[in-house]
Amino acid sequence: MSTLTCTCGETFFVGDVPRGAQIRCRRCSNTIDVHDALRTAKASTTRWKDLPPKGRRGPQASPQDLVILPERPSLLRRLFSMRGGRGDGSTARGSRSGGVRTRHMARRPMATPIGAAVGTYAAIMLGLFAYLYTQADESAVGMYVLFAPRWWCLIPWVMLLPAAPFAGWRTSLVGVAGAAVTLFGVAGFQLPSIATPDTTRRAMRIVTYNAERSSAVASQIREAIPIWNADVVLLQGCSPMLADSLDAIEGFNVDVQPDFCAVARLPLERIDAMPAGGAPGGALATGVIRYHVRTALGVLPVYSVRLQGPGATIYSDRPLELEPLAKSVALRKASSRSAALWISHADTAFVVAGDFSLPYGSGILRSDWGDLTNAFSEVGMGFGHTVRIGRFAERSDHVLLPPTLVPIAVRRISGFPTAHQPVLADLDWR
């Protein structure tokens, strides 16, 4: 290993390099021909510890394969220098000018493309996460982002994460961070909270299901209700055939309202419906029914919710028609706010469950219902998609609780011939 000094005072350490190799000084941008400089140099220093072992010379590289690395002193030498042990201002490699060392090594051909791909996709996912949580409910384009199958964004990480270590440990860290943002922030994957009590005791079991006014599920629901062993079953989109089949269930209290049905083991003392147009006034396609359920600790208000959603607009065969979807954005905001204002007059203990038409990541869901605990976000596991239409899958059916109640378990019940699937939640008093 030899020492070269530029005209500006910058020092370089070089090893065996092919003829014609050049070094570009970072300080003055001067180009140094290595062999010419060695012939005219007044002194050279051989550093045996930096040379490969005898008989194990590394492969020769072309001039463009030379890698210039910044001189970085070791931690012990930096601490020694800070304490004034040496006092000569020299660096770890003995270069008083803080120069750079030239190491004779071959580049890995795919390191730069892999690093660029990982960094670019991580930045895209971070931007998508920010857009999702700030603009998703504000425009028609944001609605498509909100209701799109965002778990597809995880597919590129299946290829990028195994390749990231070949580009260095920094690239691996960027890939892991980007994959975490994609999994939890964009796709909405949930892990159970460690603060949730692990107990088999429950005060109430709630099942909510948007039957979409389907008559095909009438017999299936009638057979499933005794198996669910639920205290209260809330059905939105209840068809007349479904309502008739519920009357045949023995041992349950059944209530039928327009578009809503409820089946309960516990007594239903009073049923209230939100006035047409909600709290602020005006006709809205919003439905909320309040059931006063008699429990061992008193009357518990249970709300069955079905809010205005994009419906066929978001799943249209002509997705470029943004005007109808833009109108539904304002309607969804008014629909959710009306229901939230009407429910806010409830007592301290209550349950809100149903089809909110607000997927995970919705700003409306956070602003109007963020003060309530989402059962799936607390104790759920996975994506928790409750509705699937074609390529679209989302979690828009929720069970929300005040601080007086705590979720113990929540799961989706599959096997029904509708886009929505039932959601079962076990609750307990905090």
Side-chain angles (χ1 to χ4, degrees):
M1 181 83 55
S2 301
T3 303
L4 296 181
T5 303
C6 183
T7 56
C8 64
E10 189 75 357
T11 303
F12 304 90
F13 297 104
V14 298
D16 295 334
V17 294
R19 183 174 299 276
Q22 295 180 342
I23 299 176
R24 186 176 182 84
C25 180
R26 293 186 177 181
R27 179 179 296 180
C28 63
S29 301
N30 184 31
T31 301
I32 304 173
D33 187 275
V34 177
H35 285 269
D36 292 344
L38 289 176
R39 286 197 302 267
T40 59
K42 295 181 179 180
S44 63
T45 303
T46 303
R47 305 181 72 242
W48 297 101
K49 64 179 182 180
D50 289 337
L51 293 176
K54 185 177 180 181
R56 296 173 57 188
R57 310 289 291 183
Q60 296 295 321
S62 59
Q64 60 268 24
D65 287 333
L66 291 178
V67 180
I68 309 299
L69 299 178
E71 191 67 45
R72 298 183 63 182
S74 65
L75 179 61
L76 293 179
R77 293 204 177 196
R78 277 183 288 173
L79 294 176
F80 186 77
S81 177
M82 290 173 62
R83 295 179 181 178
R86 295 178 64 174
D88 58 356
S90 62
T91 62
R93 296 295 184 184
S95 171
R96 299 197 178 195
S97 62
V100 297
R101 58 188 172 89
T102 302
R103 189 161 62 187
H104 188 199
M105 61 180 291
R107 293 181 186 269
R108 286 171 290 189
M110 293 300 296
T112 301
I114 291 174
V118 171
T120 301
Y121 194 67
I124 293 175
M125 290 296 100
L126 185 61
L128 180 59
F129 172 75
Y131 181 83
L132 180 67
Y133 278 79
T134 56
Q135 301 295 326
D137 287 312
E138 301 296 330
S139 64
V141 176
M143 289 281 288
Y144 280 112
V145 176
L146 184 63
F147 283 85
R150 285 169 278 154
W151 63 269
W152 287 3
C153 297
L154 294 169
I155 297 178
W157 288 119
V158 177
M159 298 175 288
L160 292 176
L161 281 182
F166 291 97
W169 63 270
R170 292 183 178 86
T171 304
S172 299
L173 290 181
V174 172
V176 172
V181 171
T182 308
L183 180 63
F184 298 105
V186 177
F189 189 88
Q190 297 289 337
L191 293 175
S193 174
I194 59 175
T196 302
D198 185 11
T199 175
T200 57
R201 184 172 63 96
R202 74 168 189 266
M204 178 177 289
R205 171 171 288 183
I206 298 286
V207 174
T208 177
Y209 176 40
N210 183 359
E212 304 174 2
R213 302 192 64 83
S214 173
S215 300
V217 299
S219 60
Q220 190 174 359
I221 292 179
R222 186 179 66 250
E223 297 173 358
I225 286 179
I227 300 175
W228 291 339
N229 193 27
D231 297 295
V232 179
V233 178
L234 305 176
L235 301 173
Q236 305 89 35
C238 185
S239 65
M241 182 177 294
L242 176 57
D244 294 339
S245 67
L246 297 178
D247 292 332
I249 302 177
E250 298 181 356
F252 288 86
N253 299 308
V254 179
D255 179 79
V256 178
Q257 302 289 331
D259 203 47
F260 288 86
C261 295
V263 181
R265 290 183 181 275
L266 303 174
L268 301 176
E269 292 195 348
R270 193 172 80 249
I271 294 95
D272 302 324
M274 188 179 74
L284 293 175
T286 303
V288 181
I289 300 293
R290 177 171 54 199
Y291 301 96
H292 294 264
V293 181
R294 170 63 64 178
T295 67
L297 299 180
V299 177
L300 178 68
V302 177
Y303 293 85
S304 181
V305 178
R306 189 183 187 188
L307 300 183
Q308 171 68 25
T313 307
I314 194 72
Y315 310 112
S316 173
D317 294 335
R318 293 175 292 180
L320 296 180
E321 294 184 355
L322 300 181
E323 184 177 356
L325 189 59
K327 293 180 180 178
S328 71
V329 171
L331 192 59
R332 291 173 70 249
K333 289 184 178 181
S335 174
S336 176
R337 181 58 54 88
S338 299
L341 290 176
W342 189 68
I343 294 176
S344 64
H345 300 288
D347 297 333
T348 56
F350 59 92
V351 179
V352 185
D355 179 15
F356 288 76
S357 297
L358 300 172
Y360 167 81
S362 169
I364 299 176
L365 185 65
R366 293 191 306 273
S367 61
D368 293 343
W369 310 94
D371 57 330
L372 302 179
T373 300
N374 193 309
F376 190 87
S377 298
E378 188 74 12
V379 297
M381 178 68 180
F383 298 104
H385 296 151
T386 61
V387 56
R388 184 179 300 274
I389 301 178
R391 299 181 300 272
F392 297 85
E394 64 198 38
R395 174 163 58 94
S396 61
D397 298 84
H398 307 285
V399 178
L400 307 180
L401 309 171
T404 53
L405 290 171
V406 58
I408 298 176
V410 61
R411 62 186 177 92
R412 183 195 63 183
I413 305 173
S414 58
F416 286 80
T418 54
H420 287 261
Q421 299 296 308
V423 176
L424 183 148
D426 290 334
L427 317 176
D428 196 7
W429 299 101
R430 187 176 294 276

